[in-house]
C-alpha cells in the first residue's frame, strides 16, 4: 500500500515564499507515488480573529494556489477541514488524554496568545492538528520547522492512546526540509517570515507583482559587507542565500560556491530574477483557474467525500476502543 502523506495550511492571510519552500514545494515532490492528502485547515484559522466573508473567499483562493504551485488534483486529495466532522470529534477525544503541561510548552501558543490574546481554541490548536493527522493513518507530514513541536505532540498522543486502548493509530513522521524549513523575514531576519507580519516589506507573497518582488528583495536587510564570502555573513544574507538555494533546487553549499565574490547588489538581482520567474508561473496558473469556481468546487467535493470515507475507518476503531456509542 502507498504511504499516506498529510499536510495543511491555514486559509488566512496570503501565502508567501516561506510557505512555498518550507511546505508546498515538498508536497509537490512527495505527492508522487504516495497517497497525498492536503487540507485547508479553516477550523485552526478561527483561533485568531477572522472576517467571515474573507475566510470563505480564502478557501477557493487557497485551493487554486495549491494547484498553481503544482499540487495535481488527479493525484492528490484536497479538502476543507470543517467539512469533515471527524476532525473535531477526534480532537475532542484526544483532549481527554492530553495534559495541560503538554500544551503549555507549545511555543506557538505562547507567541500567538501574546499577539492576539488567549482563547481555549488557541491553547488546544495542537490537539486538533494531531487529530487531522492521525485520522488518516498518516505516515509522513511535510511541514516547516515551526511545526516540529506540534508533530511531536501528535506522536506522543498516538503512542499514549495505543498503549491505553489498543493499537489504533499509526505514528506519523515529520518531514522537515534540511535547508529551507525556516525562511526569515527580509526586514527582521531573526523572526520567521509570516503571513501576519505587519511589515509587508519583510514578506514576499506568491501573488506579489514583479515590481513588488524586486523592491522587497532589493530592500532586504543584509550587513555592512559588500561581497559574498563563505567565511562570514549575517542572518539577513544567509536567509537570502537559503531562499536562492531553495528556488534554484540546490544546496546552500553549492550556492556559496557559485556566488562567492559577487557583490550583494549583483546577487540580489540574480535572486529577484529567480523568484520572479517561478512566481510569475504560479501566478499565471492561479489566474487561469481561480475564476473557474465550478472546477475548484468539484475538486473540494471529491476531496471531502474521500476524506470522510477514509477517516470513518479510523473513527470507528476509536469509538470501539473507547466504548463510545452503541455496537455497530
Ligand atoms: P501565520 O504567520 O499566520 O501563523 P504562517 O505563515 O506560519 O501563518 P501557516 O499556515 O501557519 O503559515 O503554515 C503553513 C505551512 O508553511 C507550515 O507547514 C509551516 O511550517 C510552513 N511555514 C510557515 N512559515 C514558514 C517560514 N517562514 N519558513 C518555512 N516554512 C514556513
Ligand atoms: N498548524 C499548521 C497547519 C496544520 C497542519 C495540520 C499541518 C493544521 N493541521 C496537519 C500539517 C498537518 C501550520 O502550518 N500552522
Amino acid at each position: 500500500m502507498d504511504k499516506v502523506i498529510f499536510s495543511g495550511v491555514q486559509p488566512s492571510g496570503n501565502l508567501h515564499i516561506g510557505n512555498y519552500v518550507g511546505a508546498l514545494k515538498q508536497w509537490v515532490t512527495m505527492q508522487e507515488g504516495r497517497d497525498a492528502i492536503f487540507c485547508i485547515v479553516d477550523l485552526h484559522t478561527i483561533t485568531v480573529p477572522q472576517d467571515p466573508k474573507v475566510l470563505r473567499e480564502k478557501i477557493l483562493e487557497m485551493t487554486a494556489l495549491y494547484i498553481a504551485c503544482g499540487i495535481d488534483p488527479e493525484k492528490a486529495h484536497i479538502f476543507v477541514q470543517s467539512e469533515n466532522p471527524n476532525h473535531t470529534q477526534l480532537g475532542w477525544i484526544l483532549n481527554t488524554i492530553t495534559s495541560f503541561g503538554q500544551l503549555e510548552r507549545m511555543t506557538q501558543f505562547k507567541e500567538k496568545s501574546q499577539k492576539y490574546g488567549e482563547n481555549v481554541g488557541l491553547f488546544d490548536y495542537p490537539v486538533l492538528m494531531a487529530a487531522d493527522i492521525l485520522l488518516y493513518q498518516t505516515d509522513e507530514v511535510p511541514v516547516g520547522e515551526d511545526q516540529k513541536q506540534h508533530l511531536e505532540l501528535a506522536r506522543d498522543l498516538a503512542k499514549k492512546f495505543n498503549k491505553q486502548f489498543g493499537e489504533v493509530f499509526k505514528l506519523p513522521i515529520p518531514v522537515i526540509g534540511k535547508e529551507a524549513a525556516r525562511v526569515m523575514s527580509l526586514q527582521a531576519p531573526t523572526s520567521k517570515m509570516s503571513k501576519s507580519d505587519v511589515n509587508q516589506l519583510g514578506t514576499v507573497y506568491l501573488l506579489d507583482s514583479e515590481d513588488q518582488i524586486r523592491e522587497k528583495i532589493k530592500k532586504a536587510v543584509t550587513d555592512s559587507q559588500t561581497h559574498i564570502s563563505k567565511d562570514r555573513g549575517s542572518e539577513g544574507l544567509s536567509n537570502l542565500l537559503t531562499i536562492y538555494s531553495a528556488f534554484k533546487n540546490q544546496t546552500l553549499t553549492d550556492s556559496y560556491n557559485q556566488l562567492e565574490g559577487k557583490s550583494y547588489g549583483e546577487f540580489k538581482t540574480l535572486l529577484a530574477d529567480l523568484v520572479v520567474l517561478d512566481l510569475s508561473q504560479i501566478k499565471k496558473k492561479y489566474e487561469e483557474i481561480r475564476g473557474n469556481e465550478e472546477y475548484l468546487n468539484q475538486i473540494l467535493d471529491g476531496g471531502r467525500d474521500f476524506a470522510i470515507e477514509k477517516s470513518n475507518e479510523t473513527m470507528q476503531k476509536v469509538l470501539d476502543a473507547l466504548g463510545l456509542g452503541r455496537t455497530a
Side-chain angles (χ1 to χ4, degrees):
M1 226 168 59
D2 286 342
K3 281 196 169 168
V4 175
I5 66 162
F6 184 98
S7 197
V9 172
Q10 303 181 61
S12 58
N14 294 312
L15 281 189
H16 52 74
I17 56 171
N19 301 131
Y20 179 57
V21 300
L24 279 133
K25 235 166 156 333
Q26 289 196 79
W27 299 6
V28 173
T29 324
M30 290 177 75
Q31 70 183 336
E32 305 297 332
R34 292 183 178 82
D35 203 358
I37 311 170
F38 301 120
C39 186
I40 297 168
V41 293
D42 56 349
L43 291 167
H44 278 109
T45 307
I46 58 165
T47 53
V48 304
Q50 303 293 332
D51 175 341
K53 266 210 197 108
V54 177
L55 183 59
R56 269 268 160 89
E57 265 296 293
K58 288 276 167 196
I59 303 255
L60 291 189
E61 179 183 314
M62 204 60 76
T63 310
L65 268 174
Y66 279 10
I67 298 166
C69 287
I71 301 299
D72 180 351
E74 301 284 320
K75 293 185 183 145
H77 307 277
I78 306 174
F79 78 102
V80 182
Q81 185 187 34
S82 63
E83 294 181 6
N84 179 1
N86 286 331
H87 290 247
T88 37
Q89 187 167 13
L90 182 60
W92 174 258
I93 290 169
L94 293 177
N95 277 332
T96 64
I97 60 162
T98 309
S99 69
F100 272 62
Q102 280 176 300
L103 296 183
E104 273 164 354
R105 280 196 289 279
M106 297 290 152
T107 51
Q108 183 180 286
F109 171 69
K110 290 181 205 161
E111 282 165 17
K112 289 207 170 172
S113 55
Q114 263 179 14
K115 209 158 156 186
Y116 302 102
E118 36 181 71
N119 65 66
V120 176
L122 196 56
F123 189 59
D124 202 29
Y125 180 114
V127 180
L128 179 60
M129 178 164 162
D132 297 341
I133 297 165
L134 299 179
L135 269 176
Y136 299 91
Q137 304 295 343
T138 302
D139 294 283
E140 296 169 326
V141 187
V143 280
E145 171 77 29
D146 61 323
Q147 296 303 311
K148 198 171 166 194
Q149 209 183 15
H150 291 165
L151 256 297
E152 277 160 16
L153 178 79
R155 281 177 67 87
D156 287 346
L157 294 181
K159 275 190 218 157
K160 188 165 176 189
F161 187 99
N162 288 350
K163 193 161 169 235
Q164 238 170 297
F165 302 105
E167 288 294 316
V168 171
F169 299 122
K170 204 173 238 183
L171 298 191
I173 300 170
V175 180
I176 298 170
K178 274 192 202 73
E179 289 179 342
R182 196 171 168 82
V183 174
M184 310 308 274
S185 156
L186 300 187
Q187 287 297 309
T190 48
S191 18
K192 147 183 127 93
M193 185 177 284
S194 142
K195 289 183 200 141
S196 45
D197 196 343
V198 280
N199 188 348
Q200 298 272 312
L201 269 184
T203 307
V204 177
Y205 298 105
L206 297 189
L207 299 177
D208 272 349
S209 68
E210 173 168 355
D211 288 349
Q212 284 170 317
I213 300 170
R214 290 193 185 278
E215 190 202 356
K216 287 176 183 180
I217 292 178
K218 201 168 171 186
K219 291 194 173 148
V221 170
T222 50
D223 48 61
S224 57
Q225 306 296 325
T226 53
H227 289 75
I228 295 178
S229 149
K230 274 187 212 167
D231 311 328
R232 52 167 172 67
S234 54
E235 277 148 337
L237 186 73
S238 68
N239 186 40
L240 295 180
L241 279 156
T242 301
I243 298 170
Y244 181 86
S245 311
F247 274 87
K248 193 110 180 142
N249 295 314
Q250 66 184 25
T251 64
L252 198 55
T253 314
D254 285 344
S255 297
Y256 269 108
N257 288 337
Q258 186 197 336
L259 297 165
E260 190 171 27
K262 286 225 184 309
S263 77
Y264 286 0
E266 262 178 295
F267 165 55
K268 281 182 167 179
T269 308
L270 287 174
L271 174 61
D273 290 344
L274 205 57
V275 175
V276 163
L277 181 68
D278 242 33
L279 296 196
S280 67
Q281 282 160 2
I282 291 176
K283 200 167 166 186
K284 184 162 168 267
K285 176 92 191 169
Y286 173 81
E287 278 160 5
E288 272 166 33
I289 54 178
R290 175 63 186 89
N292 193 346
E293 301 206 341
E294 201 184 321
Y295 168 69
L296 298 173
N297 278 313
Q298 238 172 34
I299 291 169
L300 293 177
D301 285 348
R304 175 203 55 215
D305 294 346
F306 168 85
I308 292 178
E309 203 181 317
K310 177 145 177 110
S311 60
N312 273 347
E313 291 169 25
T314 304
M315 207 58 231
Q316 195 55 52
K317 286 188 194 161
V318 171
L319 296 174
D320 290 343
L322 293 168
L324 290 168
R326 289 175 297 149
T327 317

